[in-house]
Amino acid sequence: MHVSRRVRPVLLYDGDCAFCTSCARALERIGPDAEILAWQYADLAELGITEEQAIDAVQWIEIDGTVRSGHEAIAAILNTAGRIWKLTGRTILLPGISWMAAKIYRLVADNRHRLPGSTPACARSPLQEKGISTNPTDYGSGSA
């Protein structure tokens, strides 16, 4: 049986992305009761997270090991902050809003390289991380 030594939940973000790092610093300023850590400096195995999960989306890991990703991770960390932030976190997860929050999160995550504060590292996709080209011209036109 694995017993966690952590006393607070952890939010993992992409520390190679300046946009993600700026967002993490903004979250730190609102005072959540959580550790905010770049996944590149975390013991992913101890947290029960794969590198692919960490590359794909922000990850929230509860003390009991429960994992939430993307907009649910953002809602979870907001729920540990002050009153207005808790309300915001709960609102994100409301039926009718949660699906939209998921779409918005994915839109931002997929386009973070276009946002202020981004770096070339922000544009890497999970496929590119594995050395697989995402350029359609590398696969030909599909016609014989």
Side-chain angles (χ1 to χ4, degrees):
M1 180 168 111
H2 181 272
V3 177
S4 174
R5 295 180 304 239
R6 290 181 287 113
V7 294
R8 298 190 311 163
V10 175
L11 181 83
L12 296 178
Y13 68 94
D14 186 351
D16 286 339
C17 173
F19 176 77
C20 300
T21 301
S22 296
C23 292
R25 299 293 81 84
L27 283 169
E28 286 177 341
R29 287 192 294 276
I30 68 170
D33 185 17
E35 183 178 356
I36 300 174
L37 183 63
W39 71 261
Q40 292 87 346
Y41 299 107
D43 183 342
L44 297 180
E46 180 182 324
L47 294 170
I49 299 293
T50 66
E51 188 172 332
E52 289 77 22
Q53 287 172 299
I55 290 168
D56 184 57
V58 65
Q59 302 291 319
W60 174 260
I61 304 96
E62 295 280 356
I63 295 169
D64 69 2
T66 302
V67 176
R68 292 180 175 79
S69 299
H71 78 290
E72 291 180 353
I74 300 301
I77 195 166
L78 292 175
N79 279 326
T80 71
R83 179 182 243 146
I84 189 71
W85 299 112
K86 286 181 184 182
L87 178 62
T88 304
R90 289 184 186 128
T91 301
I92 289 171
L93 297 177
L94 287 174
I97 295 176
S98 183
W99 71 269
M100 186 175 13
K103 297 280 187 197
I104 292 169
Y105 178 87
R106 184 48 44 202
L107 179 68
V108 170
D110 289 347
N111 292 285
R112 61 191 173 146
H113 61 284
R114 294 182 172 105
L115 299 172
S118 67
T119 64
C122 300
R124 290 185 297 197
S125 75
L127 292 175
Q128 290 167 322
E129 289 286 334
K130 294 178 181 178
I132 300 170
S133 175
T134 57
N135 184 345
T137 60
D138 290 349
Y139 303 106
S141 65
S143 59

